[in-house]
Amino acid sequence: MVSGLTERLSAADRRLLTQYPGQRGGRQPVHTVYVPADQVTRELSTDWGTRALTALTEHAPDAEQLAQATGIDLDAVRASYPRVLSKLRAEPIEDLRVDLEDGYGNRDEATEDADACGAARAVAASLAAGTCPPYVGLRMKGMEAGGRARGVRSLALFLETLLSEHAGLPEGLVLTLPKITSLEQVEAMVWTTEQLEAQLDLPAGRLTFELQIETPQSVLGPDGTATVSRMVQAGAGRVSALHYGTYDYSAACGVTAAFQSMAHPVADHAKAVMQLAAAGTGVWLSDGSTNVLPVGTPAQVHEGWRLHAQLVRRSLERAYYQGWDLHPAQLPTRYLATYVFYREAFGPAAERLRAYVTDSGGSVLDEPATAQALAVALVRGMDCGALDATEVADAVGAPVPELRELASRRVG
């Protein structure tokens, strides 16, 4: 009987392992910064860090004033404020996306050619100088009829120039496909990456890409199916992340400009569907952005910081561990809200994980899947700078490599 069951279910077992490989290893950035291609420079990350620190100096030079501005508990801000300053000096941007889409607009052919190549040269220079963010890449124009030729040309120019200026593609290279309205567009992106790999003499599978979910068609199909799930599978293992596009999606759903937000019900619905589609696949999730920037008068800056911190916290609580930042002055609240979140989670998670890894018992009996989630939280906290490896290892009673292995282990 057992052999018969195994035979009957072997195909399903193979599909499960292929389609749902489990947690993806590696560090997920806490944000993506989108910068128009013609504004990308070798020192962009450093410049953004300097501007973020200047905003803090001008509008919240100490923990007390930052707590008042953001509405975050003072003790929590005091614990994280030095870490935020260190982060802004050492690694202000974790993921940079050279933008040739909405943030860039439509330029003439020669101008976009020059900007795609110029941005690639700037990225190569930052890689050589050691100032490049851990993740960097390109958002091209999408596969819709009016933009696909331009998008693919810019992508090819960017990659060709980067390869000519730098010895190989950076490990953290990321490509973003926007404005997806059909499954066929994802399949076309797979074909495009295959062609580029052949032309550029790259290993098969080297080029992966994010799907920017910003159209109703990319969430729900005309037959009522969740198209985003089918798109992940159509990516043939190349889809690395799903990014929510706040404003395009909200507008397409009929939400007026005054109410377009990452926290609107239409956004929550789309992101819940995305979350289910990505679960168990190893595909990362990213929330969108707020266009309410912390600029202007001190009151306006504080208002922008408070809103941004609230939205970052909201995303983290809903298991969206990444989002978009559009302005240097958003970096202080990105890292503050993120660090406070992980430091709040640290004590309880470490206590429960210590009981699990040492088999010493405790007030909560955790299953392997929950233990993995606890480990993931601690690893994420270490990766972004909210937690120190030493304090985590001491609190859990296990070395950090063991925690990382537990965080990426397949459960079930």
Side-chain angles (χ1 to χ4, degrees):
M1 182 182 296
V2 173
S3 61
L5 284 173
T6 300
E7 183 178 351
R8 289 176 64 89
L9 294 173
S10 60
D13 291 341
R14 288 193 297 272
R15 283 198 305 273
L16 181 65
L17 290 172
T18 301
Q19 296 174 347
Y20 298 95
Q23 288 282 346
R24 172 179 165 190
R27 169 190 178 185
Q28 181 177 5
V30 302
H31 70 168
T32 301
V33 165
Y34 282 81
V35 177
D38 58 334
Q39 298 176 25
V40 175
T41 66
R42 165 182 159 170
E43 299 298 333
L44 186 142
S45 183
T46 302
D47 291 344
W48 270 54
T50 300
R51 292 169 65 186
L53 286 165
T54 299
L56 273 178
T57 300
E58 292 180 359
H59 300 290
D62 54 45
E64 288 73 17
Q65 293 183 61
L66 187 57
Q68 185 176 9
T70 60
I72 298 175
D73 176 74
L74 176 56
D75 289 340
V77 175
R78 281 180 177 147
S80 293
Y81 194 82
R83 293 176 181 272
V84 172
L85 295 177
S86 296
K87 182 72 171 181
L88 294 177
R89 294 185 184 110
E91 191 183 68
I93 296 177
E94 291 195 357
D95 183 19
L96 170 63
R97 199 69 71 252
V98 175
D99 193 12
L100 284 168
E101 207 238 348
D102 279 355
Y104 176 80
N106 294 314
R107 318 281 179 99
D108 63 77
E109 296 292 316
T111 298
E112 183 159 336
D113 282 355
D115 288 339
C117 295
R121 285 191 288 269
V123 169
S126 69
L127 286 165
T131 60
C132 189
Y135 292 90
V136 64
L138 182 78
R139 178 168 72 167
M140 56 189 274
K141 290 177 173 63
M143 289 289 177
E144 67 275 15
R148 67 176 67 119
R150 179 65 257 183
V152 170
R153 176 174 174 80
S154 294
L155 174 59
L157 285 172
F158 179 83
L159 293 175
E160 288 169 359
T161 305
L162 187 55
L163 282 167
S164 70
E165 298 284 332
H166 187 263
L169 296 177
E171 187 65 28
L173 179 73
V174 188
L175 308 177
T176 305
L177 179 66
K179 301 286 191 297
I180 308 164
T181 55
S182 70
L183 189 69
E184 289 80 4
Q185 290 179 352
V186 178
E187 294 171 339
M189 187 63 177
V190 172
W191 181 85
T192 299
T193 55
E194 291 172 344
Q195 300 303 304
L196 287 169
E197 286 167 351
Q199 292 174 19
L200 301 174
D201 196 26
L202 296 171
R206 176 64 181 86
L207 299 177
T208 61
F209 53 91
E210 305 164 336
L211 305 181
Q212 193 164 353
I213 306 303
E214 53 184 341
T215 68
Q217 295 89 346
S218 59
V219 175
L220 190 71
D223 59 354
T225 60
T227 44
V228 62
S229 179
R230 297 176 62 198
M231 287 174 178
V232 168
Q233 300 302 328
R238 293 180 184 265
V239 175
S240 59
L242 303 176
H243 283 228
Y244 177 65
T246 305
Y247 297 99
D248 282 82
Y249 189 85
S250 298
C253 289
V255 180
T256 59
F259 297 99
Q260 292 173 5
S261 165
M262 296 157 59
H264 193 281
V266 301
D268 285 340
H269 172 263
K271 288 183 285 188
V273 177
M274 291 165 59
Q275 199 164 36
L276 284 171
T281 64
V283 172
W284 288 340
L285 294 168
S286 176
D287 211 334
S289 63
T290 175
N291 60 6
V292 180
L293 302 180
V295 297
T297 67
Q300 290 172 319
V301 171
H302 288 183
E303 181 181 358
W305 273 347
R306 183 176 290 251
L307 174 63
H308 188 242
Q310 290 172 348
L311 290 172
V312 172
R313 174 72 185 216
R314 187 179 190 273
S315 297
L316 290 166
E317 290 178 352
R318 286 156 177 77
Y320 269 73
Y321 301 111
Q322 186 176 349
W324 296 1
D325 289 325
L326 306 178
H327 191 277
Q330 290 180 321
L331 300 186
T333 38
R334 168 65 62 183
Y335 291 118
L336 177 64
T338 300
Y339 287 4
V340 168
F341 175 81
Y342 284 117
R343 292 208 66 82
E344 286 179 2
F346 171 45
E351 181 181 358
R352 289 172 62 178
L353 202 53
R354 184 182 188 93
Y356 180 85
V357 300
T358 62
D359 198 23
S360 59
S363 60
V364 180
L365 185 62
D366 286 315
E367 296 181 351
T370 303
Q372 183 186 51
L374 294 169
V376 168
L378 298 181
V379 167
R380 288 183 185 277
M382 287 187 288
D383 284 344
C384 71
L387 306 174
D388 297 326
T390 301
E391 67 177 334
V392 171
D394 289 346
V396 176
V400 169
E402 183 177 325
L403 295 179
R404 291 189 180 277
E405 196 280 330
L406 176 58
S408 60
R409 184 182 304 164
R410 180 181 174 85
V411 177

